[in-house]
Amino acid sequence: MHPEAFRRSGHALIDQLAAHLARAHERTVVVSPSPAPDELCVRYPATFPMEPATEAETRAFYTRVLDDSTQLHSPRFLGHQVSAPLPEAVLLETLSAFLNNGTGVFEMGPASNAMERSVLGFLAQKLGLPQGSGGLLTSGGSLGNLTALLAMRQARAGHDAWTLGTSPDLCVLASEETHYSVARAVQILGWGKKGVWPVPSDAAYRMDVAALGPALVAARAAGRHVLGVVACAGSTATGAFDPLAGIADFCAREDLWLHVDGAHGASVAMSRRHRGMLVGIERADSVVWDAHKMMMLPALVTAVLFRSEAHAPAAFAQEESYLFDGKGANWWDSGLRTVECTKRMMSAELYGALYLRGTRVFEDHIDRTFALAQSLATRITNSPDFQLAIAPDCNIVCFRHVPSGPPLSAERLEALQGELRVRIREQGELYIVQTRLRGRLHLRVTIMNGLTKEADLDALLDAIRAAARKLLE
Ligand SMILES: Cc1ncc(COP(=O)(O)O)c(C=O)c1O
């Protein structure tokens, strides 16, 4: 790579990204383009030139990709739980890509392994985990949940499942609201569909602690060997935080492993105002924390933290002489603790963002997005033509639109929610998603962008009303 050519193309790309960012803020971009999938493939034909693209072709290519993508930097992106990344974090990802150190082994990624160690210590301390805790960074909450469940199995199966294989009757108790990646991990582990034993949730979609005992009895009566409980700190559908302290008491009493899926909500530990929602997490055996959700990092950067650091390598006790020295567990070869072999230098993004931006920006982000969610909930409560599903615990708000005028049948109202979601997306100025709660379809908003304003929330409700009028004409 020639340094001058690299500098020139880097400047050109950054100029183009900055111009695009300005358009996203001015709201002159389509937040979520909605062409037909096949139609879009025509814009990306599998025909590649022999020679490098010219400067004009390069710019045109970047423009095409930018315009055909979902615009998380728009303050009116109000959909899924993915961040508009901090500018520093975008550049840190470039640093990580430039160095391209596979961080599985210390000698291939010295700085990244050291940063990983330090930043995990920082996160563990934020959660209140004790001395001796530790973990790993991995590519996403789904892989994080799988890693934690592997460690749980090794610690609690009663036999060396890693060496001897798993028995299919293993199982975890988990709330009905648990992210699907937990069921998927359980099925990958070979425990089958009944490997997740459902625990009912209460009216606020939080795990019903009183239902844990009966669930344990029922699972055992059905011949399942229950290893632990999976709790949510920020469920996907409504953002509900399970009562972790009560669940931790139950796990202590029954000698069960407690895993907290804090993919969305563990970042609350950064906020002095809201961290009380996590009380009990300090007693967890394992926690998953996605930094690409509420910590404004590009996907994917996930921390898996264990109360006892020894659990992480125990989940993957393997010898690979071409990589590791065979002397057993150590902290500096992160590949000993993860599914991944070649691993992105994701610690550069997390450690670097904390170092370059300081911690306050993360606290402010939580406080601001949570306050905006409350404000949207208040608007909805005060509007007779909207129904709030539940008072939000965090920055996720679910609701239905019930247009004023002649009452609609339950079926028409149900179908209308889905049609509204499609219509809003097709109009291109706002992006929201949907979720089914207790069988009824709801519109779902997640406030992920720190630049979203109250006016954007008003615009959303007005856009929904206008779309409903058109649909019901
Ligand atoms: C609670 C929860 N757990 C796990 C995941 C999966 O995380 P990832 O998308 O990083 O694999 C999600 C994703 O939204 C989630 O909300």
Side-chain angles (χ1 to χ4, degrees):
M1 189 190 314
H2 192 282
E4 261 318 304
F6 182 65
R7 182 173 288 130
R8 265 201 313 278
S9 61
H11 279 155
L13 176 59
I14 287 179
D15 284 350
Q16 210 167 340
L17 294 184
H20 190 81
L21 193 57
R23 290 183 54 217
H25 290 173
E26 290 154 8
R27 303 200 314 274
T28 54
V29 292
V30 173
V31 183
S32 174
S34 48
D38 288 340
E39 200 183 294
L40 198 55
C41 282
V42 177
R43 278 168 65 72
Y44 296 90
T47 44
F48 303 105
M50 286 281 279
E51 302 303 329
T54 62
E55 199 179 317
E57 286 164 342
T58 306
R59 281 184 172 273
F61 173 73
Y62 290 149
T63 302
R64 183 159 30 122
V65 176
L66 284 164
D67 288 347
D68 289 343
S69 299
T70 304
Q71 309 299 327
L72 277 64
H73 287 284
S74 164
R76 295 196 176 181
F77 171 86
L78 299 165
H80 290 290
Q81 301 146 271
V82 197
S83 307
L86 289 168
E88 288 84 352
V90 173
L91 298 173
L92 285 160
E93 178 155 311
T94 306
L95 172 71
S96 153
F98 177 88
L99 289 166
N100 207 23
N101 283 194
T103 64
V105 261
F106 183 75
E107 65 184 46
M108 265 301 289
S112 59
N113 277 291
M115 286 189 281
E116 178 163 333
R117 171 81 168 170
S118 286
V119 83
L120 287 165
F122 171 81
L123 300 180
Q125 185 243 325
K126 281 277 164 206
L127 295 177
L129 291 171
Q131 282 287 333
S133 58
L136 56 123
L137 294 180
T138 193
S139 298
S142 305
L143 212 48
N145 280 328
L146 175 64
T147 307
L149 292 183
L150 259 169
M152 175 196 293
R153 183 185 69 172
Q154 197 61 4
R156 298 300 175 108
H159 65 280
D160 180 359
W162 181 255
T163 310
L164 304 171
T166 194
S167 76
D169 62 351
L170 303 181
C171 143
V172 288
L173 306 181
S175 126
E176 294 160 331
E177 301 299 317
T178 307
H179 188 255
Y180 75 88
S181 61
V182 170
R184 190 172 275 190
V186 157
Q187 288 182 262
I188 291 170
L189 287 167
W191 311 343
K193 241 183 138 76
K194 292 208 169 135
V196 178
W197 198 274
V199 182
S201 47
D202 64 15
Y205 299 93
R206 304 186 187 119
M207 185 187 274
D208 179 1
V209 182
L212 273 168
L216 180 61
V217 171
R220 285 182 176 154
R224 307 302 298 202
H225 174 180
V226 180
L227 304 182
V229 177
V230 177
C232 289
S235 68
T236 311
T238 62
F241 279 61
D242 287 342
L244 299 178
I247 299 170
D249 288 342
F250 177 82
C251 288
R253 226 169 25 244
E254 300 292 344
D255 192 23
L256 296 172
W257 178 288
L258 171 57
H259 172 60
V260 179
D261 180 354
H264 186 77
S267 299
V268 166
M270 301 298 292
S271 159
R272 281 165 291 183
R273 187 173 306 163
H274 295 290
R275 69 165 69 125
M277 294 162 75
L278 292 175
V279 167
I281 206 166
E282 70 289 350
R283 292 160 68 196
D285 295 287
S286 53
V287 178
V288 157
W289 179 340
D290 277 2
H292 52 277
K293 291 195 165 60
M294 292 307 291
M295 292 201 43
M296 296 175 285
L297 294 195
L300 296 160
V301 184
T302 293
V304 186
L305 293 151
F306 293 101
R307 167 169 218 81
S308 163
E309 188 173 17
H311 285 304
F316 301 106
Q318 260 173 322
E319 277 183 28
E320 270 312 330
S321 58
Y322 89 98
L323 287 179
F324 309 119
D325 62 11
K327 290 188 193 140
N330 64 52
W331 70 256
W332 48 89
D333 291 323
S334 70
L336 290 166
R337 296 188 293 278
T338 165
V339 175
E340 288 146 294
C341 174
T342 306
K343 186 169 111 173
R344 276 193 326 111
M345 282 183 69
M346 53 188 88
S347 62
E349 289 147 43
L350 183 50
Y351 183 99
L354 285 160
Y355 185 84
L356 298 178
R357 279 302 287 253
T359 57
R360 184 175 309 145
V361 70
F362 301 101
E363 175 164 31
D364 290 349
H365 184 60
I366 298 279
D367 293 351
R368 185 172 158 65
T369 53
F370 282 30
L372 273 174
Q374 290 300 337
S375 167
L376 175 60
T378 304
R379 281 172 163 73
I380 290 170
T381 310
N382 292 338
S383 309
D385 55 345
F386 283 94
Q387 284 174 350
L388 185 66
I390 191 78
D393 274 356
C394 58
N395 54 336
I396 300 177
V397 186
C398 298
F399 57 96
R400 282 161 75 92
H401 180 43
V402 185
S404 41
L408 301 175
S409 69
E411 293 74 32
R412 185 67 198 98
L413 203 53
E414 179 72 9
L416 180 66
Q417 310 308 312
E419 291 164 21
L420 284 170
R421 168 17 238 177
V422 172
R423 179 59 73 103
I424 294 292
R425 177 164 177 236
E426 283 173 355
Q427 284 170 349
E429 282 166 26
L430 289 139
Y431 179 69
I432 58 171
V433 292
Q434 65 182 35
T435 190
R436 200 169 283 285
L437 300 176
R438 308 228 154 104
R440 291 167 77 211
L441 200 60
H442 285 73
L443 301 170
R444 177 174 173 273
V445 161
T446 312
I447 299 171
M448 297 299 293
N449 190 323
L451 298 177
T452 298
K453 303 228 166 24
E454 306 261 347
D456 298 308
L457 306 179
D458 289 330
L460 170 66
L461 299 186
D462 287 345
I464 292 172
R465 287 186 179 110
R469 276 196 298 273
K470 278 254 167 269
L471 285 163
L472 297 171
E473 254 169 27

